[in-house]
Amino acid sequence: GAVVSQHPSRVICKSGTSVKIECRSLDFQATTMFWYRQFPKQSLMLMATSNEGSKATYEQGVEKDKFLINHASLTLSTLTVTSAHPEDSSFYICSARKAPGGTGELFFGEGSRLTVL
Amino acid sequence: DAKTTQPNSMESNEEEPVHLPCNHSTISGTDYIHWYRQLPSQGPEYVIHGLTSNVNNRMASLAIAEDRKSSTLILHRATLRDAAVYYCILNNFGNEKLTFGTGTRLTIIP
């Protein structure tokens, strides 16, 4: 069964509003989680690394004030898209590993599809 | 991390084996070869990974060339549920992040 869960799976919002997406590790603690974005017919693009108890690390070109990441507990990271606009419409996916080190399996959430009207 | 090259798309008949190639000529000695797949409208899922030796698990087999400059993901008996985009990713030991390329879109023909 799923070990990383996202909520909501789909969200539609009006332009200018903010949307929060939750990512939970269900049966393990994750000090690090990763947020990806995927546009239609394209590959996944890493947006940021969410670190429990500290600031997220953003990839080049990703606006940290636009995409707020909070990792307040070992099982929950949230991504808030602030003042969303139609160009922010995308498939947002989070992921985490059960063990650190980089060689093990990365578990992905089901994804959250954001549509901004 | 070094770059991988995969065909954009492949087709295979149902119940036949599928060999998905990946070239990674600039692989370093500490790069692991990972395969993930993404079914439509879902997050990716892990398939298999290896370093030097061939690997087998319940989902697939990974054949790694002796010089490690290429690898092949083998689905032994394709089903319709195997239709997905398959990503071959190199990840250096200790690097937590995975960087996805464009992958191979596999279509299974009934």
Side-chain angles (χ1 to χ4, degrees):
Chain A
V3 296
V4 175
S5 180
Q6 286 182 239
H7 178 81
S9 58
R10 291 179 181 272
V11 57
I12 300 172
C13 70
K14 292 182 179 179
S15 186
T17 61
S18 294
V19 173
K20 181 186 285 188
I21 300 169
E22 294 185 346
C23 177
R24 293 182 185 274
S25 56
L26 298 182
D27 61 353
F28 66 98
Q29 295 180 332
T31 55
T32 303
M33 291 184 176
F34 305 95
W35 286 96
Y36 290 83
R37 179 169 57 181
Q38 186 175 33
F39 293 109
K41 305 292 187 185
Q42 294 186 24
S43 185
L44 285 79
M45 185 194 80
L46 180 65
M47 298 175 66
T49 301
S50 173
N51 304 298
E52 188 270 335
S54 66
K55 292 182 179 180
T57 306
Y58 291 83
E59 296 300 305
Q60 190 172 8
V62 178
E63 301 175 56
K64 58 181 68 176
D65 295 330
K66 172 76 171 176
F67 299 99
L68 299 180
I69 291 172
N70 185 285
H71 195 151
S73 81
L74 286 170
T75 59
L76 174 65
S77 174
T78 60
L79 169 69
T80 301
V81 183
T82 62
S83 186
H85 291 284
E87 58 266 31
D88 298 322
S89 298
S90 189
F91 194 47
Y92 292 87
I93 310 167
C94 70
S95 65
R97 279 195 176 80
K98 286 188 176 182
T103 59
E105 178 179 352
L106 193 58
F107 294 93
F108 287 84
E110 312 94 324
S112 300
R113 189 166 301 282
L114 170 63
T115 302
V116 185
L117 302 176
Chain B
D1 293 313
K3 184 181 168 59
T4 63
T5 304
Q6 299 178 252
N8 288 332
S9 62
M10 288 183 64
E11 289 185 348
S12 180
N13 294 319
E14 192 178 10
E15 298 186 4
E16 290 187 357
V18 182
H19 291 235
L20 295 160
C22 181
N23 287 320
H24 30 78
S25 59
T26 59
I27 190 171
S28 75
T30 52
D31 280 335
Y32 282 76
I33 303 161
H34 294 254
W35 284 83
Y36 284 77
R37 72 179 186 181
Q38 185 178 25
L39 279 65
S41 298
Q42 295 186 29
E45 65 174 341
Y46 169 83
V47 178
I48 201 166
H49 79 284
L51 183 61
T52 56
S53 302
N54 295 343
V55 185
N56 300 296
N57 66 21
R58 63 174 180 82
M59 286 182 71
S61 295
L62 176 60
I64 301 173
E66 200 169 327
D67 63 3
R68 301 212 320 128
K69 293 186 177 182
S70 65
S71 61
T72 302
L73 179 70
I74 303 165
L75 306 180
H76 296 286
R77 190 167 168 272
T79 70
L80 295 178
R81 289 176 295 178
D82 291 321
V85 178
Y86 287 77
Y87 297 97
C88 170
I89 304 166
L90 298 186
N91 197 49
N92 200 275
F93 178 79
N95 183 7
E96 296 275 351
K97 301 188 289 188
L98 280 188
T99 301
F100 285 76
T102 53
T104 297
R105 182 173 299 276
L106 176 65
T107 301
I108 304 299
I109 302 167

